Amino acid sequence: MSAAAIREAREEAGIELAPDDLKMIGVMHRKNVDSEWIDFFFTASSWQREIVNKEPHKCEELFWHNANKLPVNMVPFVRKAIEMPRDGMWFASFGWPGNDFA
């Protein structure tokens, strides 16, 4: 799983990560109208290079925010992923009927 995080960080943010600098902090089973996803979330203690938005066609901007003062206009499942460790959660569901996060 860390290999995928390393690859995606390079492709999407232009940074280089080392496996020893990564820590998995959460897993999410996510559903939308026509698909399901399993997302793995990591923190990185360090990285090489400046973070840049390498996929402007998928993401308008990248910003640093205090995790306790997140912007209102966030993607909802990303907000939940950031809140998971703070709330002591390691697994969450998103988009399923009857769950609190849909």
Side-chain angles (χ1 to χ4, degrees):
M1 285 178 277
S2 62
I6 291 167
R7 181 190 68 245
E8 292 301 311
R10 182 181 309 118
E11 291 174 4
E12 296 177 13
I15 61 173
E16 295 295 329
L17 299 170
D20 290 343
D21 293 331
L22 294 176
K23 176 183 174 188
M24 188 183 341
I25 59 167
V27 178
M28 184 178 292
H29 187 192
R30 185 166 51 95
K31 178 177 175 43
N32 63 22
V33 175
D34 58 357
S35 61
E36 292 182 37
W37 304 85
I38 300 290
D39 299 307
F40 296 88
F41 297 91
F42 292 82
T43 59
S45 57
S46 67
W47 57 86
Q48 302 299 314
R49 298 193 186 142
E50 186 70 25
I51 294 175
V52 295
N53 182 4
K54 293 192 70 172
E55 294 186 340
H57 58 288
K58 293 182 180 179
C59 173
E60 278 185 37
E61 302 176 276
L62 298 177
F63 287 98
W64 290 106
H65 288 277
N66 181 317
N68 295 316
K69 296 179 183 177
L70 296 171
V72 174
N73 63 339
M74 281 188 70
V75 175
F77 83 89
V78 174
R79 174 184 296 280
K80 183 61 189 167
I82 292 170
E83 294 170 350
M84 282 172 57
R86 183 180 66 213
D87 296 340
M89 296 174 61
W90 195 79
F91 176 82
S93 295
F94 188 93
W96 296 90
N99 86 26
D100 296 334
F101 315 116

